[in-house]
Amino acid sequence: MRVVVIGAGIVGASAARHLAEAGSDVHMVDTGGDGQATAAGAGIVFPYQLGDRPSGWEPLVAPALDHWAQVVDPFGAAAGVAAVGIVNVGPDGPDLRAVMTFLDALRERRGGVPLPDTEWLDTGVPARRFPPLRRDLAGIASPGVRRVDGRTLRDHLLALAEANGARRVTGAATLAAGADGVVVAVDGERLPADTVVAAAGAWSARLCEPVGLALPVVPVRGQVLHVDLPDGDTSGWPMIRAGERHYLLAFPGGRVVSGATHEPDAGFEHRATAGAVRHLLADALAVAPGLADATFAEVRVGFRPVSTDGLPVLGRVSRLPNLVVATGLGANGLTFGPSAGALAAELALGREPDVDLAAFRPDRTP
């Protein structure tokens, strides 16, 4: 079977790897341009933040957890993966205690989805685990979060696909309607395919528009600030969450990231902005003043593929039977992307996954 996978982010790389290992003749097509969410993402795998999710996400949670535990975790450091946990921080008071109560209640109602235990950290303890933090902060620690270098994991999956015969093609893919389904061309030259997997992230709607498929996916720009600390081993530091949106995440070699902005009106403008840098620095230094002497390294800019109804887009297209679409994971691509790619591969192979994907149909009405 000849399969063309369009998009070489985390979803496309995972799909290509699984298809190649199943014996398919795989071509992986990507423009190699700027703004891919996988390359820009902070690197957080966080499947437990379910309290504010639409209930329709639940069918994908257990598969994502299982896929990480059974498939991705064994890659370990070679794929940039490490279990570091998370610490929610704040002053010891009603607000932080309410987070502890919420997490405990969430664990009780998750049913079959296992949630990790939480640990209360007295004032000053979080700073022992993440030294740049203020010493007057308490915290709630949970082991259930992984850190991943999205670029390294993506490249690892692509290398596995290539080791099993997949071929990479750099260029702009287009789709057109043919007699037997969709037809693929790369830079105007047709690329034969029995099945097509459209995993082009935030660009998926543009890709599918010529075949009359209006995907409910739009780009949301995110900017993530990177700084480098001059000394110390940061490899084992936990993720820090302060408030609803701000987080800090450390990588080996002194790298610390602060994120992230959420800019739904930016379109595909790939640029770092002064306002975002100011905002991300202010948030970081407010909880971690020890970062003030860090070296400014870079700002990564990416476009999250966000669905307009809040649910992922994953499934076959009923009137175009040789087209599978996998996108719309928003800010959770690194968490759900590997398993979404595996599910897309199953669909491309003509199999029926043991997951109810009805709510995620690409041709649904939002």
Side-chain angles (χ1 to χ4, degrees), residues 57-100:
W57 275 79
E58 264 80 0
L60 298 179
V61 175
L65 288 168
D66 290 343
H67 193 89
W68 266 95
Q70 298 172 18
V71 179
V72 184
D73 282 341
F75 295 153
V81 176
V84 295
I86 182 174
V87 178
N88 287 272
V89 299
D92 184 350
D95 290 345
L96 192 60
R97 297 281 178 176
V99 173
M100 185 80 168

Side-chain angles (χ1 to χ4, degrees), residues 223 225 246 258 261 272-286 296 299:
Q223 301 184 54
L225 177 74
H246 183 245
S258 171
T261 65
T273 63
V277 172
R278 177 184 178 185
H279 170 72
L280 294 170
L281 276 174
D283 282 349
L285 295 178
F296 179 86
V299 177

Side-chain angles (χ1 to χ4, degrees), residues 173-200:
T174 55
L175 299 180
D180 299 317
V182 297
V183 176
V184 184
V186 179
D187 292 337
E189 183 175 342
R190 182 168 177 176
L191 185 61
D194 298 310
T195 304
V196 178
V197 176

Side-chain angles (χ1 to χ4, degrees), residues 17-78:
R17 178 256 174 136
H18 286 281
L19 286 163
E21 290 186 350
S24 296
D25 179 8
V26 179
H27 283 78
M28 306 175 290
V29 183
D30 194 82
T31 63
D34 294 328
Q36 185 192 77
T38 296
I44 300 165
V45 176
F46 192 13
Y48 305 106
Q49 52 181 7
L50 305 175
D52 57 354
R53 286 202 185 290
S55 60
W57 275 79
E58 264 80 0
L60 298 179
V61 175
L65 288 168
D66 290 343
H67 193 89
W68 266 95
Q70 298 172 18
V71 179
V72 184
D73 282 341
F75 295 153

